[in-house]
Amino acid sequence: MNEIKILYPQEIIQEKIEELAQKLNKFYGNEEIYAICVLKGAVMFTVDLVKHLNMPVKMEFIRLSSYNGGTTTSGKVNAVDISLPDLNGKNVLIIEDIVDTGLTAKFLIDFLNCNFHTKTTKFCSLLDKKSARTADIEPDYYCFEADDKFLVGYGLDYDGYYRNLKCIGYIENPE
Ligand code: IMP
Ligand code: MG
């Protein structure tokens, strides 16, 4: 396995998630939300975030992919499984691991707008790689602004590995 240089330790990630949850609790009050986890990357972030939410929450999981297996995006978003309940009139919170080019976020927001008239649609991401953005999109909420490095851990993978790490880092000397 490669050596991982830690950028965001476990405690800092959890602190930021609690801060974000407080903002969401304030914004939604007691209104029910649909928390939509974008698999696979956002799985850790989603399960930790929803534990701190106080309103009624329904969890949904969709699966998209845009990666070729390594560290490069194909530039095309592939909807592996995007089956969702009727979201008309609902508060929808999309939960992503990282916004990079923004193509995935744009695809999802366009998909929701085309198929539903939601009450609100908000997009939150654990990480925001602003410098890599090509699509005209910004997350409504994010925990960390990240450099344009390929990150792994806490849901983020390299070729399927490292999702189980408690921290987020980058591969120092890739093999
Ligand atoms: P985007 O469509 O380019 O914004 O990228 C979206 C998806 O690519 C994210 O949801 C991640 O799953 C994946 N991704 C982007 N950057 C990284 C990274 O640094 N490490 C691991 N996965 C990444
Ligand atoms: Mg993702």
Side-chain angles (χ1 to χ4, degrees):
M1 278 311 218
N2 293 289
E3 200 186 320
I4 305 296
K5 183 99 182 150
I6 297 175
L7 287 176
Y8 308 104
Q10 186 183 1
E11 303 73 39
I12 307 288
I13 296 172
Q14 296 304 327
E15 262 174 39
K16 284 280 188 184
I17 290 176
E18 284 186 38
E19 278 173 30
L20 171 60
Q22 279 174 20
K23 285 186 202 163
L24 295 171
N25 284 329
K26 211 178 234 171
F27 176 75
Y28 291 111
N30 281 327
E31 292 215 17
E32 177 179 286
I33 70 163
Y34 279 72
I36 302 184
C37 169
V38 185
L39 293 172
K40 302 176 188 170
V43 66
M44 304 286 187
F45 176 38
T46 301
V47 296
D48 284 343
L49 178 68
V50 295
K51 286 180 226 165
H52 298 288
L53 295 179
N54 299 331
M55 74 294 288
V57 176
K58 286 191 170 175
M59 293 176 74
E60 294 291 334
F61 298 85
I62 59 174
R63 191 161 161 212
L64 302 179
S65 77
S66 62
Y67 266 63
N68 296 318
T71 62
T72 54
T73 173
S74 64
K76 195 175 156 283
V77 181
N78 186 17
V80 181
D81 175 6
I82 200 165
S83 44
L84 285 165
D86 180 4
L87 296 173
N88 288 303
K90 308 293 187 192
N91 293 302
V92 174
L93 177 68
I94 304 168
I95 308 178
E96 252 289 34
D97 50 356
I98 186 164
V99 182
D100 186 21
T101 62
L103 289 172
T104 306
K106 178 136 186 25
F107 172 91
L108 262 176
I109 288 167
D110 289 348
F111 177 86
L112 286 175
N113 288 338
C114 281
N115 289 282
F116 307 105
H117 282 106
T118 63
K119 184 170 183 189
T120 59
T121 302
K122 295 285 176 194
F123 195 101
C124 78
S125 182
L126 180 66
L127 295 143
D128 188 357
K129 241 194 238 178
K130 287 191 190 295
S131 57
R133 200 64 40 80
T134 57
D136 182 19
I137 200 113
E138 293 297 329
D140 297 292
Y141 301 95
Y142 63 89
C143 293
F144 301 101
E145 184 172 338
D147 292 341
D148 193 7
K149 279 198 172 77
F150 193 79
L151 304 174
V152 295
Y154 196 67
L156 296 152
D157 75 304
Y158 170 65
D159 204 14
Y161 294 105
Y162 305 111
R163 292 193 199 276
N164 60 314
L165 301 184
K166 297 187 185 91
C167 58
I168 297 169
Y170 63 93
I171 302 172
E172 187 146 49
N173 298 306
E175 276 161 11

